[in-house]
Amino acid sequence: MPSKNITFDPSSGVPYGVNLTIYGGSDFETTFNVTNNANTAFDLTDYSGSAAISKSVAVGATLGITTAFTVGFSSAYDGKMSISLGRTDTRNLTEGRYVYDILVSSGSTIYSLANGNVYVYNPVSSAP
């Protein structure tokens, strides 16, 4: 399971850019190690999260939400969270470029934590 290190500065209003790769028909999970500007763990204890992926059809255009990732906090105090899709979900993605974003919220305030491109590869065969 790959791990990505990202810096989260809620006051900047700018998400951290991270590109991902998904292999169709395989379980997908990526862990994010979230730090603050001082390079120490960002405490995500009071945060909840959501993440979605959308098919990119042209520069600046998408087809709406294709599917939602499952978001988990393995150690919120230590800034560790993950996004995942099961093999059934990845099998249903057509090959190509997608975009995604991860939103976190604390109370009624919503922040864009990370976003980027996702390339989906469909293998010739996959596990049942």
Side-chain angles (χ1 to χ4, degrees):
M1 164 177 63
S3 182
K4 309 287 184 186
N5 298 319
I6 62 174
T7 302
F8 179 47
D9 180 5
S11 64
S12 75
V14 178
Y16 198 89
V18 179
N19 293 328
L20 305 172
T21 302
I22 294 176
Y23 294 94
S26 299
D27 291 331
F28 169 82
E29 184 173 13
T30 294
T31 299
F32 294 91
N33 301 309
V34 184
T35 60
N36 57 28
N37 287 333
N39 205 28
T40 59
F42 190 97
D43 185 357
L44 294 166
T45 302
D46 295 327
Y47 287 79
S48 61
S50 64
I53 182 173
S54 178
K55 180 72 172 168
S56 180
V57 292
V59 175
T62 60
L63 292 176
I65 294 176
T66 302
T67 191
F69 288 101
T70 300
V71 176
F73 294 89
S74 57
S75 181
Y77 178 77
D78 294 322
K80 296 191 184 308
M81 68 177 293
S82 63
I83 60 172
S84 62
L85 287 173
R87 70 179 56 165
T88 302
D89 293 319
T90 64
R91 184 178 293 126
N92 292 330
L93 297 172
T94 58
E95 186 166 313
R97 190 172 79 80
Y98 292 72
V99 294
Y100 81 99
D101 64 359
I102 301 171
L103 303 177
V104 292
S105 60
S106 179
S108 62
T109 306
I110 299 172
Y111 303 97
S112 184
L113 177 70
N115 66 16
N117 296 308
V118 179
Y119 196 83
V120 174
Y121 291 95
N122 283 332
V124 174
S125 61
S126 62

